[in-house]
Amino acid sequence: MTHAEDRKPKSDEARNAFVHPSGLAAPADSESSTTSEFAVPDGLAVPKPGTESETTSEFALPDGLDVAPHPAHEPEGSAFSTPRTYSARQAAAFTPPTGVPLVRLTKDVPWQDRMRTMLRMPVTERPAPEPVQRHDESGPAVPRVLDLSLRIGELLLAGGEGAEDVEAAMFAVCRSYGLDRCEPNVTFTLLAVSYQPSLVDDPVTASRTVRRRSPDYTRLAAVYQLVDDLSDDETHVSLEEAYRRLAEIRRNRHPYPGWALTAASGLLAGSASVLVGGGLLVFVAAAVGAMLGDRLAWLCAGRGLPEFYQFTVAATPPAAIGVALTLAHADVKASAVITGGLFALLPGRALVAGVQDGLTGFYITASARLLEVLYFFVGIVIGVLTVLYFGVQLGANLVPDAALVANPQPVLQIAASLGLSLAFAVLLQQERSTVLVVTLNGGVAWVVYGAMYYTGDISPVASTAVAAGVVGLFGQLLARYRFASALPYTTAAIGPLLPGSATYFGLLGIAQNEVNRGLTSLTKAVALAMAIAIGVNLGSEISRLFLRIGSAEKRRAAKRTRGF
């Protein structure tokens, strides 16, 4: 056969021919003949098709495998059906099928508790806002509301308020004007707030920087009152009215003049020297040294020097007076003079705020605050050590145990603690209506400390922690009673508990080349300071724990964001 014949088209019979497995060609008999290449070979039994279509899916169950049928009330194969191993008793950690329970916020509690509760909740679980302030039909002016919240947060943060309370105040302002998707953020010197109208709209963000801090608790109380009025559904404050009141708060002068602050510094130092065993002459010497240090610090502040150098300069006059009395062989406890002067400089307010931020989860702000306290403390150390070094070189015989109280005088020490708390309250520019209350709170703190340390012979660190806890508990109760901040009722009351003597002993040991003794005393001072801060915060949390602040869902929401 030629190649041309090979290329000729074959006939239909040739194309339809079927090759049998035996090798014989089978012609196509009729139309019913099997012509497909997938035909079943002869001798292979094929079951006849039934009335229903057979299962040919690759996911079909093999024969002999028994599977329990699905419940009748559920559609078979539903992606949302409950697994057979699901147990409702073991599903407490998962979202229930009915959804997250509605959180109801109690109206008869301070706005701080309500806002703090919502801040600790995820954004998707926060209840819808109930705007209580009036605005036009087009809705609130978002940029102005955010700016108002930032200005209010700036005053609170500059006044020494904790980061969580500042965020609660900013959040309360935003929700008062109907902005529910707000997220405030506080990091030591930076305030920011973001608002997103919906999931498809662009967010609006504003920020503000706090560059200067000035403790003025009168202004702090006025800001709290403004936020309370904004959060009250019975008081309608427009944006213009809120801005006007905020401007008045900024323009208000301090309640006490400069000479009163200087006198308060002297009273604080003199009272502290009496607490560690000083007499009348020691009281006068410590008061004079503290007032001189205060005036020098004001002079440095007027020249624009940073606070670090202000603390360094303010620490030198009390130490110089103590060394001078020692060189003059006066029958006084020079160490008590120096200890009293240090009480007026110890940054107790910043320490308490720093530890509080750390305990509430604001670790960046807490680290920055504690670093600031460390710098202030280093400034005090440099000022005192410089004077003590020259005093030791001149032959001053400074005995570390001279300031220890051998025979405590309870009545005199209680009076000194009251005077110290009073002076501290004046230095913090508190409202005159709160001065008496915080003074009594400081006296109670010293009574608790004296009863545990002198009478019960308990560790000074444990005694300080318990006394500070009492201060925090009473301060929080008073703050809740007046719907105000707790700082004016707690900060001045911890004044008698500050570790002034331990700080001085540590510095004196280092100046006399007794480094081990000095470091031991400084470690004790740090432990006392931490005990004060933790005790104050724990007392405040205990008061919130046992007082009614809302439903049980709120406490679970607050717990869920704490490391879970």
Side-chain angles (χ1 to χ4, degrees):
M1 184 180 294
T2 63
H3 294 285
E5 293 178 350
D6 293 338
R7 289 194 299 267
K8 289 181 180 180
K10 298 180 180 181
S11 61
D12 294 339
E13 295 181 359
R15 285 196 302 264
N16 294 335
F18 170 70
V19 179
H20 196 271
S22 60
L24 299 178
D29 295 336
S30 61
E31 296 181 356
S32 60
S33 301
T34 304
T35 59
S36 172
E37 297 180 358
F38 299 95
V40 180
D42 295 342
L44 180 64
V46 178
K48 297 182 179 181
T51 57
E52 297 181 358
S53 59
E54 296 293 336
T55 303
T56 59
S57 172
E58 297 180 359
F59 299 96
L61 295 176
D63 295 337
L65 180 63
D66 296 332
V67 179
H70 289 276
H73 64 277
E74 295 181 355
E76 182 177 357
S78 174
F80 300 95
S81 59
T82 305
R84 293 187 303 275
T85 58
Y86 176 83
S87 176
R89 295 182 179 180
Q90 301 177 357
F94 301 95
T95 303
T98 57
V100 180
L102 178 63
V103 178
R104 296 180 175 85
L105 300 178
T106 309
K107 292 293 185 179
D108 56 348
V109 297
W111 60 267
Q112 301 97 305
D113 292 336
R114 291 187 281 118
M115 297 301 110
R116 187 183 296 110
T117 299
M118 282 188 287
L119 280 176
R120 293 176 177 178
M121 296 169 55
V123 179
T124 56
E125 298 182 13
R126 293 174 183 171
E130 300 176 1
V132 298
Q133 308 304 330
R134 298 175 180 175
H135 50 75
D136 53 12
E137 296 180 356
S138 61
V142 175
R144 296 193 66 191
V145 173
L146 298 184
D147 179 72
L148 177 64
S149 66
L150 288 175
R151 292 178 182 273
I152 289 177
E154 177 189 9
L155 289 180
L156 294 177
L157 188 63
E161 190 61 85
E164 187 177 30
D165 293 328
V166 175
E167 285 193 359
M170 296 171 61
F171 191 67
V173 174
C174 293
R175 287 185 65 90
S176 298
Y177 290 98
L179 306 184
D180 55 339
R181 292 179 174 270
C182 285
E183 284 296 332
N185 188 20
V186 177
T187 53
F188 189 52
T189 59
L190 180 63
L191 298 171
V193 59
S194 178
Y195 169 69
Q196 188 174 11
S198 64
L199 296 177
V200 296
D201 294 329
D202 296 332
V204 181
T205 304
S207 61
R208 197 173 184 87
T209 303
V210 179
R211 303 189 183 277
R212 183 181 178 184
R213 291 179 176 81
S214 57
D216 189 343
Y217 285 179
T218 300
R219 180 179 298 174
L220 188 71
V223 175
Y224 261 76
Q225 184 61 44
L226 174 60
V227 178
D228 184 58
D229 293 340
L230 292 175
S231 304
D232 190 2
D233 54 356
E234 297 180 358
T235 305
H236 297 281
V237 183
S238 62
L239 274 173
E240 290 73 15
E241 178 66 16
Y243 268 104
R244 186 190 64 79
R245 291 180 56 178
L246 190 61
E248 290 181 354
I249 294 173
R250 286 180 173 273
R251 286 195 299 265
N252 283 345
R253 294 183 177 271
H254 298 304
Y256 306 103
W259 63 267
L261 299 179
T262 302
S265 299
L267 177 60
L268 192 151
S271 301
S273 65
V274 174
L275 286 178
V276 293
L280 179 60
L281 184 57
V282 172
F283 178 90
V284 175
V288 172
M291 288 189 290
L292 288 177
D294 182 75
R295 287 294 91 191
L296 288 177
W298 276 99
L299 182 62
C300 294
R303 297 296 185 271
L305 289 178
E307 287 184 301
F308 176 84
Y309 301 104
Q310 296 177 27
F311 274 84
T312 302
V313 172
T316 55
I321 292 178
V323 171
L325 291 175
T326 302
L327 292 175
H329 301 286
D331 189 15
V332 295
K333 293 181 179 180
S335 53
V337 176
I338 302 176
T339 300
L342 292 180
F343 262 85
L345 300 176
L346 295 178
R349 171 183 56 85
L351 177 65
V352 172
V355 176
Q356 180 182 358
D357 289 340
L359 294 177
T360 52
F362 294 83
Y363 301 112
I364 297 178
T365 307
S367 302
R369 287 185 187 270
L370 295 178
L371 184 61
E372 182 186 36
V373 172
L374 178 62
Y375 271 100
F376 291 161
F377 191 78
V378 170
I380 298 172
V381 168
I382 292 176
V384 175
L385 277 181
T386 302
V387 176
L388 291 181
Y389 176 78
F390 285 105
V392 172
Q393 297 300 319
L394 293 175
N397 186 16
L398 298 173
V399 182
D401 296 336
L404 296 178
V405 181
N407 297 318
Q409 301 176 354
V411 178
L412 184 60
Q413 289 180 338
I414 291 175
S417 65
L418 294 174
L420 194 152
S421 299
L422 173 63
F424 209 168
V426 174
L427 289 175
L428 293 174
Q429 303 283 357
Q430 290 193 197
E431 290 182 298
R432 298 180 181 179
S433 59
T434 63
V435 171
L436 179 60
V437 176
V438 73
T439 301
L440 295 177
N441 198 10
V444 171
W446 182 258
V447 169
V448 173
Y449 172 79
M452 296 182 63
Y453 178 63
Y454 295 112
T455 305
D457 197 17
I458 301 177
S459 169
V461 177
S463 303
T464 301
V466 173
V470 173
V471 169
L473 178 61
F474 286 173
Q476 189 63 229
L477 293 176
L478 292 172
R480 292 177 63 87
Y481 175 73
R482 299 193 177 188
F483 282 64
S485 173
L487 287 181
Y489 302 99
T490 58
T491 305
I494 65 174
L497 305 176
L498 293 177
S501 58
T503 304
Y504 166 70
F505 292 157
L507 300 180
L508 180 59
I510 296 175
Q512 294 179 340
N513 292 327
E514 298 180 358
V515 181
N516 293 333
R517 178 184 295 180
L519 292 179
T520 301
S521 297
L522 289 179
T523 303
K524 178 182 178 182
V526 173
L528 291 173
M530 295 297 293
I532 292 172
I534 295 176
V536 171
N537 183 265
L538 182 61
S540 301
E541 293 297 332
I542 288 176
S543 66
R544 295 194 187 104
L545 181 63
F546 289 99
L547 293 176
R548 176 174 174 266
I549 64 173
S551 60
E553 287 81 0
K554 294 170 59 178
R555 299 306 300 176
R556 290 201 296 268
K559 179 181 178 181
R560 184 163 53 250
T561 58
R562 289 295 178 262
F564 286 83

